[in-house]
Amino acid sequence: MSGTSHTRNPFTQVEIPAVGVTVEHLTKNFGSLKVLKDVSFAVQPGEIFVLMGPSGSGKSVLLKHIVGLELPTSGRVTVDGHDAASEVTRERVHMALVFQSGALFNSLSVYDNLALYPREHRLADEAGIRQKVMHALKILSLEGTAKKFPADLSGGMKKRVAIARALVMEPQLMLYDEPTSELDPVMSATISEIIASLREEYRVTTIVVSHDRDLALNIADRVGILMDGKLIFLGPPSELKQPKDPIVADFLAPKFDLKHPRFKQLET
Amino acid sequence: MKQITAILEGFGSTLQLLIRSIGYAGTLPRQWGRFIEQCYMIGYTTLPIVAILSFFIGSVLALQAGYSMQNFGTQQFIGSLVGLSMARELGPVMVAILVAGRVGSAIAAELASMKVYQEVDALVTMNIPPARMLVMPRLAASLVMVPVLALIGDLVGWFGGALVSKYTAIISIEPEAYFAVLRHYTHFKDVLNGLVKAEIFGFVVVLVCCNIGLNTRGGPREIGASVTRAVVVSLILILVLDYFVTQILT
């Protein structure tokens, strides 16, 4: 972690205080299904917090609470001290979520995907928007893709375009939902490097939801592990190298047992 | 009970979407490009099918009327029957049904697909209200284009009736006589009634299809289900509203 609590705007270089996130006793039910059970943790301004857990453990649902797309059944999520679900918070704090699928607008070119936010919020004239978009594409080494459409891009490029689109929003808080899923190991490492570089250069508070062990061990300041909706680990990645908890150890380095395969022990 | 709750929820969410969209009406001038694009989608691309359908509705109307009226020797009044039927009822209803089938289904599919593939969520996280960017330009375009389609439908239907009246042996009425009767019995108020109906139907169809598309949940399979639901609900609403609007306007 850089140790400073100011986020630097990638376009204007102006520094503003970095934001923190607090999750307090968060519980979320979908009907009778309990997805999150009394989850509490805090993300410090400027740190990279990686939230890990197996598929279906509630990681993405938790991320949606932070960005205000879901409302808690009970408990509270605050961003920079304000209720995450409030529209005022979204106006006050620049948050950008990089979706697992990228969620690029398929009917728009890469350039227009990036230009949408500044255009809709009238942040600059067309020349200023062009400068900003091209700068964001350059940061992510995507200059040649401006005229392409999302359907013409590879999986790795889509993720990078999604990160560039998030960057154009001049975020104080960057959230990534499974940024390395469906990517080959080299591209996964590239995306991890991008996330770490953006934090180093601009000191953006970063929350990454992933089950990529390498990403967590290499770039996280702290890691949380969510299992069946409960937070079972919270600490620095160094503690994950030799975890004491057997459940955490099994999640991070599952042993193969072909005589007693796991899938035969799963509940239906 | 579950279905009643679903209907009430659908009604409530449609009303909420309407109020939110009206609230963004002031942003229309800076969404001019989107508005024109939607006018093109709703108006221009629907025009050929409206023209073909209206032509044959007018033709069949004249043919059936001619067949019935020959018994009474009143074929000369076919112009009034076709004129009034097209202007007051068949023009607006058929255009609304076509808009539901062609435009409403496309809107529901596009918005449902955007919802399923998280594009709508992306808009929300970018603090861009979907009602402003996706719904309001479509509603505005429907208000402008659907009455125009209905008017063109009326004219083409009248023309179809005139052609059949001239070239069908049992009718054999010259276009001059056909249009003279049509003009005598079909007043501007009748045409205006039809245009008001088309305006209401088109607006409701677009609103309902937007709402169903934006409320799609689940995977790609739900996109198809949403399109079906949007078209079915639109058709039912057109016919139910037709009764009440006709009552009010008559």
Side-chain angles (χ1 to χ4, degrees), chain A residues 42 48 55 62 101 105 124 145-146 155 190 197 199 220 240:
Chain A
I48 295 184
S55 303
L62 202 157
S101 61
F105 302 109
T145 62
T190 308
S197 305
R199 198 286 300 270
L240 289 176

Side-chain angles (χ1 to χ4, degrees), chain A residues 91 106 117 120-122, chain B residues 30 34 119 126-127 132:
Chain A
E91 281 170 15
N106 286 315
Y117 180 82
E120 285 296 318
H121 293 280
R122 294 195 270 188
Chain B
R30 62 186 183 92
R34 286 191 197 116
E119 291 179 34
M126 293 164 93
N127 213 11
R132 185 180 81 195

